[in-house]
Amino acid sequence: MTLYLSLGTNLGDKEHNLLFAVRKIEERIGRRVSLSSFYATAPWGFTSANGFLNAVLCVETTFLPLEILRITQEIEREMGRTRKSVDGVYTDRVIDIDLLFCLESDGTLVVQNTPELTLPHPLMLQRDFVMKPLAEIAPDTIKPAIGAVG
């Protein structure tokens, strides 16, 4: 399966945080296919004096989406994230790892809608900090995902 993840950080050494998260994802989830440039962005959905650094990572994996979610949340906790955003209330964070969408080996889009996880990510189209780095590394691949959420 091909997996696209959004990474963001607005606390501490932001470049280090992103690179550390990428390394942990490679170790625990799968082989890196591509990594976007790092984009400096303003906070989305809340006010903060701390700007963000964002990127999109593509990996090949054999894990199922809920397993990937568990692993990414574990990585977030290990990096110092103490709580996730709930009900649209966002806060500063050392790292945020969101699953954007997955494609089966035949290119079929994985669609999932559970209390724990919705794929494709339902807010990705509203977030330039996701769409710009995603368009950089997967300009042709995002079309099926956009159709599923748009």
Side-chain angles (χ1 to χ4, degrees), residues 7 41 48 70 91 116 149:
L7 311 173
T41 63
S48 174
R70 181 190 56 75
T91 60
E116 299 86 16
V149 295

Side-chain angles (χ1 to χ4, degrees), residues 65-117:
L66 284 174
E67 294 170 309
I68 296 165
L69 178 64
R70 181 190 56 75
I71 295 166
T72 59
Q73 289 176 340
E74 182 178 276
I75 293 168
E76 288 175 336
R77 282 190 302 275
E78 289 172 7
M79 290 182 67
R81 183 151 187 199
T82 55
R83 59 187 170 122
K84 291 290 283 182
S85 303
V86 178
D87 297 327
V89 178
Y90 301 100
T91 60
D92 293 323
R93 61 209 77 152
V94 171
I95 194 68
D96 184 34
I97 306 170
D98 286 338
L99 283 68
L100 297 176
F101 65 95
C102 304
L103 300 171
E104 296 286 358
S105 58
D106 65 0
T108 303
L109 182 69
V110 175
V111 177
Q112 184 159 350
N113 193 359
T114 68
E116 299 86 16
L117 180 63

Side-chain angles (χ1 to χ4, degrees), residues 38-56:
F38 294 171
Y39 289 78
T41 63
W44 185 94
F46 74 109
T47 302
S48 174
N50 303 310
F52 274 82
L53 201 59
N54 295 94
V56 169

